[in-house]
């Protein structure tokens, strides 16, 4: 997954000053900001595990000198319309123990492969692979991705067991 160049964030303004970080650049009104539910989604805890495995594979491809490994869960544009099909990680997440076990095994394998490449390096600025990605940049992307999805997982877990903030 290639990340587009970051756009600068602008703070949404309000009579009392800048809005909090979650509404930066937003023109949402009070109704949208107070909405309590999310629209229907294919997101699931198992889908997040599969997505993170796919993402780890993609990062390993960034820092590899060899040919890229194929995707784990389908083509990023499976229907050929050019817009990418990033839900393939989530759509195939079915309630079968074999699927759960396979997803956890894939995540562990892909994490280990991504971890192995920079394992002995002492310079975080060193660039790896055909793409010339700095080790530091790779680590920052990983932290961002996992942090974002930990929040998603917490909301999904709340839907499953009802516990809040634990």
């Amino acid at each position: 997954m290639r990340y587009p160049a970051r756009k600068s964030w602008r703070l949404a303004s309000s009579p009392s000053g800048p809005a909090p970080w979650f509404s930066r650049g937003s023109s949402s009104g009070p109704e949208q900001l107070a909405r309590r539910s999310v629209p229907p989604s294919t997101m699931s805890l198992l889908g997040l595990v599969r997505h993170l495995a796919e993402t780890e594979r993609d990062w390993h491809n960034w820092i590899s000198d060899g040919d890229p490994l194929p995707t784990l869960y389908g083509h990023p544009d499976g229907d050929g319309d050019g817009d990418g099909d990033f839900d393939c990680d989530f759509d195939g997440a079915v309630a079968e123990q074999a699927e759960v076990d396979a997803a956890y095994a894939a995540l562990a394998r892909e994490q280990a492969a991504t971890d192995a490449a920079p394992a002995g390096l002492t310079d975080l600025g060193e660039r790896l692979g055909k793409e010339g990605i700095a080790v530091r940049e790779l680590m920052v992307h990983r932290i961002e991705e996992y942090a974002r999805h930990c929040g998603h997982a917490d909301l999904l877990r709340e839907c499953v067991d009802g516990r809040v903030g634990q």
Side-chain angles (χ1 to χ4, degrees), residues 71 73-88:
T71 61
Y73 301 112
H75 192 275
D77 188 29
D79 60 9
D81 65 0
D83 67 352
D85 294 323
F86 298 107
D87 287 341
C88 54

Side-chain angles (χ1 to χ4, degrees), residues 25-47:
S26 171
S27 60
S28 298
E31 294 83 19
Q32 290 86 9
L33 293 174
R35 186 174 297 140
R36 287 188 166 59
S37 62
V38 294
S41 167
T42 61
M43 191 178 293
S44 66
L45 289 169
L46 178 57

Side-chain angles (χ1 to χ4, degrees), residues 9 12 17-18 28 38 40 48 58 62-63 68 70 73 75 77 100 105 109 114 117-118 123 140 150 154-155 158 163:
W9 291 83
S28 298
V38 294
L48 282 175
D58 196 47
W62 283 9
I63 60 175
Y73 301 112
H75 192 275
D77 188 29
V100 172
R109 180 186 65 244
T114 304
D123 178 7
V140 167
C150 281
D154 190 47
L155 293 172
E158 182 181 325
R163 291 185 303 152

Side-chain angles (χ1 to χ4, degrees), residues 80-149:
D81 65 0
D83 67 352
D85 294 323
F86 298 107
D87 287 341
C88 54
D89 311 342
F90 296 98
D91 292 340
V94 294
E96 295 174 5
Q97 189 60 49
E99 184 62 37
V100 172
D101 294 342
Y104 278 114
L107 178 58
R109 180 186 65 244
E110 298 303 325
Q111 286 172 330
T114 304
D115 289 344
L121 302 176
T122 56
D123 178 7
L124 295 178
E126 187 166 336
R127 299 194 170 274
L128 303 174
K130 295 177 193 174
E131 303 265 342
I133 303 296
V135 174
R136 179 180 295 108
E137 182 179 355
L138 171 67
M139 294 299 116
V140 167
H141 277 298
R142 289 177 88 184
I143 291 166
E144 287 174 336
E145 187 81 6
Y146 278 85
R148 181 173 28 261
H149 292 315

